[in-house]
Amino acid sequence: MHTKAFLAALLAPAVVSAQLNDLAVRAGLKYFGTALREGAINSDSAYAAILSDKKEFGQLVPENGQKWDATEATRGTFTYASGDITANKAKANGQGLRCHTMVWYSQLPSWVSGGTWTKTTLQSVIETHMSNVMGHYLGQCYAWDVINEAVTDDGAWRDNVFLKTFGTDYFALAFNAAKKVDPNTKLYYNDYNLEYNGAKATKALELVSIVKAAGAPIDGVGFQGHLIVGSTPSRSSLATVLKRFTALGVEVAYTELDIRHSSLPASTAAQVTQGNDFANVVGSCLDVTGCVGVTVWSFTDKYSWVPETFSGAGDALIYDKSFNKKVAWTSISSVLAAKATGNPVVTPGTTLATITTSAAATSSAAVTPAPVSSTKSSTAVVPTSTATTPIAEAAHWAQCGGNGWTGATACQSPWTCKYSNAWYSQCL
């Protein structure tokens, strides 16, 4: 037992100083990924360098390049230049590829959305589109979002050309068509606001059941995770709704994660809350067997869809506009590291290494351990130690407790050790 503890102490620092995808894989996930903005990758070298680092992001998804309007704007004419940007980048970097999206009411060419269709003619259009686009990326995609956002926030079926033509039969039709083209990729339903476990989540569960009852294949459900700072559900609540879906025999993943501030500039307290919200989302995935990965919808505030969609809101990602790692990055890395290290029992006096940042991270928030906060304040959970060598007090923002922690548990004045979760407490 002492030998195992000693080995754990030697190995732990390398684990907790790792980058996000490395940590995620060691924690049991398949990947930690990001969306790629096609218009930035070839014009912004700093952006490209971080995105291309497989240790940080193990999977890429095109932000827009594989959508219907990008691949078949004119009926029967297929173009892949935009979609290939992500596919080629992932291949060159040895990263995985997540593919997005097939049947969606938005970013749909007018010739589809405004057409006059019978079931037979629209089915032919869907099958032709899938055969060409999915066929072009055959063998490259871990998963395809086959149907996107088919449910409204109040729990009704979303009105669109597909529902008008087929009713709910288009669910099974689309999944069957996708399976025929690529039998080896994972086939997903993908939607937002499922995280709140309300009427929308219940309707999405019905969609999964409809597809399965029809004998059609469905492998996963994507929780987009477009959330709001301070309104994100708790880790346990998020895990509860994930489990409702895995109970139906599908895997789940967070596929488009960002957590936006409702107003800017964000205060220090709001940034701390955002970090805690990110940690809760990622932690909930770690807590659920069948949750396979997390993808952030771009990684830097410089290239986020949020400001152009939600007036006055923003700063929703884990790197700032200057590519400095934010509080949110450290919060995610902390929860992944806790899982990755397996809460090792270490010999007295051994301290796990502080999470490191990249050379690009030059702000004070980026180069010091950043806060993971909770309104709950209590003494951190720490193991009993017989060490006789005193440990210095922890500095502001530093870790001061958590299961398996053997470093300082008292903070330098005037800071107090604040409980975040069983794995992490911090001097705040």
Side-chain angles (χ1 to χ4, degrees):
M1 181 174 179
H2 292 295
T3 300
K4 290 180 180 179
F6 178 68
L7 289 174
L10 290 176
L11 293 173
V15 175
V16 297
S17 63
Q19 293 166 270
L20 297 182
N21 185 63
D22 277 358
L23 284 170
V25 171
R26 296 181 196 188
L29 302 182
K30 291 184 181 295
Y31 60 85
F32 192 98
T34 185
L36 179 150
R37 174 154 295 192
E38 293 87 357
I41 192 67
N42 293 321
S43 60
D44 191 328
S45 59
Y47 171 74
I50 297 172
L51 180 139
S52 298
D53 185 350
K54 184 179 178 181
K55 293 181 179 181
E56 185 77 335
F57 300 114
Q59 188 175 81
L60 303 180
V61 57
E63 187 171 8
N64 290 296
Q66 291 176 328
K67 292 171 181 174
W68 202 314
D69 63 351
T71 53
E72 194 187 5
T74 302
R75 185 173 184 178
T77 301
F78 294 90
T79 56
Y80 304 108
S82 184
D84 284 352
I85 293 171
T86 305
N88 292 341
K89 182 64 65 174
K91 184 177 181 180
N93 298 334
Q95 295 162 303
L97 177 66
R98 193 172 191 283
C99 293
H100 174 80
T101 181
M102 285 284 105
V103 177
W104 186 29
Y105 75 94
S106 185
Q107 291 182 246
L108 191 64
S110 60
W111 69 265
V112 181
S113 60
T116 300
W117 306 105
T118 65
K119 290 182 179 180
T120 300
T121 56
L122 188 53
Q123 180 173 346
S124 177
V125 164
I126 293 171
E127 290 177 345
T128 299
H129 182 75
M130 287 188 175
S131 178
N132 281 272
V133 179
M134 293 183 69
H136 180 78
Y137 297 103
L138 187 66
Q140 300 180 57
C141 307
Y142 168 78
W144 262 105
D145 290 329
V146 176
I147 297 178
N148 200 48
E149 300 175 4
V151 181
T152 64
D153 280 343
D154 60 358
W157 299 126
R158 188 180 296 279
D159 187 28
N160 57 48
V161 65
F162 308 109
L163 187 72
K164 282 185 171 74
T165 305
F166 298 103
T168 58
D169 289 346
Y170 87 86
F171 304 153
L173 184 157
F175 279 95
N176 277 324
K179 188 71 170 182
K180 184 177 179 181
V181 178
D182 191 344
N184 297 315
T185 193
K186 299 281 189 178
L187 305 179
Y188 267 64
Y189 174 67
N190 192 55
D191 213 332
Y192 64 93
N193 284 353
L194 303 180
E195 300 81 11
Y196 297 98
N197 205 10
K200 187 168 191 175
T202 299
K203 201 68 170 180
L205 286 161
E206 184 181 343
L207 185 152
V208 174
S209 297
I210 288 171
V211 173
K212 284 182 168 287
I218 180 169
D219 302 299
V221 172
F223 285 61
Q224 290 183 14
H226 296 302
L227 302 168
I228 302 171
V229 173
S231 298
T232 299
S234 68
R235 178 169 173 168
S236 61
S237 295
L238 290 165
T240 295
V241 68
L242 293 177
K243 289 175 183 177
R244 291 183 71 190
F245 285 85
T246 58
L248 294 182
V250 294
E251 67 181 40
V252 293
Y254 289 106
T255 55
E256 304 182 18
L257 179 62
D258 50 35
I259 307 179
R260 64 185 181 271
H261 293 283
S262 297
S263 62
L264 297 174
S267 66
T268 299
Q271 293 176 56
V272 170
T273 300
Q274 183 188 51
N276 200 50
D277 287 346
F278 268 104
N280 283 336
V281 174
V282 175
S284 71
C285 188
L286 296 174
D287 294 341
V288 176
T289 301
C291 189
V292 299
V294 176
T295 299
V296 288
W297 203 241
S298 190
F299 64 89
T300 170
D301 295 333
K302 185 175 182 179
Y303 300 117
S304 171
W305 73 296
V306 169
E308 60 201 49
T309 306
F310 301 97
S311 179
D315 289 1
L317 294 163
I318 60 177
Y319 284 71
D320 68 18
K321 292 177 182 178
S322 299
F323 302 107
N324 298 310
K325 294 174 180 176
K326 294 165 59 176
V327 172
W329 186 98
T330 303
S331 299
I332 293 171
S333 64
S334 296
V335 75
L336 289 173
K339 182 74 170 184
T341 56
N343 184 24
V345 178
V346 296
T347 53
T350 300
T351 302
L352 303 186
T354 300
I355 296 166
T356 59
T357 59
S358 67
T362 56
S363 72
S364 60
V367 298
T368 59
V372 181
S373 173
S374 171
T375 55
K376 178 178 180 180
S377 176
S378 69
T379 303
V381 179
V382 296
T384 302
S385 173
T386 57
T388 57
T389 302
I391 300 174
E393 293 178 334
H396 190 205
W397 305 128
Q399 184 173 356
C400 55
N403 291 343
W405 176 252
T406 58
T409 58
C411 300
Q412 295 174 359
S413 180
W415 315 116
T416 302
C417 190
K418 298 294 182 69
Y419 175 97
S420 176
N421 55 56
W423 304 101
Y424 196 82
S425 296
Q426 191 166 34
C427 292
L428 300 174

